[in-house]
Amino acid sequence: TLSKFPSYSKPSLDLPLSPSKPKPTAQPTLTLLKVIAAKGATMRTSQHIDSSKVLCKIPQNEQVKLIEKVWMDPDDVDVVGIYRLKVVWKKKEGWISDRGRLKDEPYQIVEEV
């Protein structure tokens, strides 16, 4: 629901943050995300949306493996802060968003499986 993603604060998406140095005995955790947006998810080469190239479009209902997440503060009055998620899908690695960034068109893109 949209109430999970307030317009002016970080959403409470409970995904692991970018890992610090892992302990040698620690097993990596596998976090799977499901693309739920009807538009799918756009995978890009970088976490920076406006300066990166599109790699592919991930269709709705596909699952991706989360590698890293980074909070991106809004850089314009018409956008909200979002998480950029580094994911793997069908042997491709790139960045997607957790939700739409336009303030007037809020929608969730992924959810944890």
Side-chain angles (χ1 to χ4, degrees):
T1 64
L2 296 179
S3 64
K4 291 173 82 174
F5 296 95
S7 296
Y8 300 102
S9 62
K10 288 185 184 181
S12 60
L13 188 60
D14 188 26
L15 303 175
L17 290 171
S18 299
S20 56
K21 293 182 181 179
K23 296 177 184 175
T25 57
Q27 294 295 320
T29 58
L30 176 65
T31 301
L32 290 177
L33 304 175
K34 181 180 178 180
V35 176
I36 61 169
K39 300 178 188 182
T42 302
M43 183 185 281
R44 296 180 174 272
T45 56
S46 152
Q47 68 191 43
H48 304 288
I49 297 170
D50 296 323
S51 62
S52 61
K53 293 182 180 180
V54 174
L55 291 173
C56 64
K57 192 78 160 180
I58 304 170
Q60 185 180 31
N61 296 320
E62 287 289 315
Q63 290 187 1
V64 297
K65 178 184 170 187
L66 177 66
I67 298 172
E68 180 180 355
K69 82 173 185 178
V70 176
W71 176 254
M72 303 292 287
D73 286 320
D75 58 359
D76 188 281
V77 296
D78 294 327
V79 299
V80 296
I82 58 170
Y83 279 107
R84 293 291 286 157
L85 310 169
K86 189 172 188 180
V87 298
V88 174
W89 178 69
K90 292 191 176 184
K91 299 184 181 180
K92 293 182 183 178
E93 187 175 297
W95 293 83
I96 64 173
S97 299
D98 68 321
R99 61 183 173 152
R101 67 181 179 150
L102 296 179
K103 192 180 292 184
D104 295 337
E105 296 179 36
Y107 63 96
Q108 188 175 350
I109 296 174
V110 295
E111 69 181 10
E112 194 168 338
V113 175

